[in-house]
Amino acid sequence: EVQLVESGGGLVQPGGSLRLSCAASGFIFSATGMGWFRHTPGKEREGVARISPNSTIIYYDDSVKGRFTISRDNTKNTMYLQMDNLKPEDTATYYCAAVGGSSGSTYWRGQTFGYWGQGTQVTVSS
């Protein structure tokens, strides 16, 4: 069974930083593309960043370029999202996603994501 478990969310002031983690199990992590998405009530879920299995291909949404960094450690089956210089508009529930599957499939930057974590809340507020 595929499992994706996010952690690291919380409340942070504008300009602050957070590091999200996604622990993966139930599939061959080192052979699977991964991504981060976020959702705010009243808006559609949006792609934030994605990373190829060997980390050679990385994409960011324009809204986070230069502030967020996606990475992965295939020896630990874990993906990360380092978020710096956070802004109030970054407030959302952040989801870890894996390529494949068919549940709530979302196509973004050339990949279809169908495995999802439960989400972690990030709130940026003073």
Side-chain angles (χ1 to χ4, degrees), residues 29-108:
F29 182 78
S30 61
T32 303
M34 300 291 296
W36 288 99
F37 291 74
R38 64 187 180 188
H39 179 251
T40 303
K43 289 179 148 182
E44 290 192 3
R45 182 167 58 193
E46 61 177 355
V48 175
R50 78 163 179 90
I51 186 168
S52 64
N54 59 3
S55 304
T56 56
I57 298 172
I58 290 175
Y59 288 106
Y60 295 100
D61 184 75
D62 286 345
S63 65
V64 306
K65 271 182 189 173
R67 301 187 299 119
F68 290 12
T69 303
I70 189 172
S71 63
R72 63 191 295 163
D73 186 340
N74 288 346
T75 67
K76 296 181 179 179
N77 284 5
T78 302
M79 176 179 65
Y80 306 97
L81 186 67
Q82 177 67 40
M83 305 187 293
D84 297 318
N85 190 21
L86 282 159
K87 304 176 181 180
E89 51 264 42
D90 294 318
T91 295
T93 302
Y94 283 72
Y95 295 90
C96 166
V99 172
S102 59
S103 175
S105 292
T106 298
Y107 179 83
W108 191 72

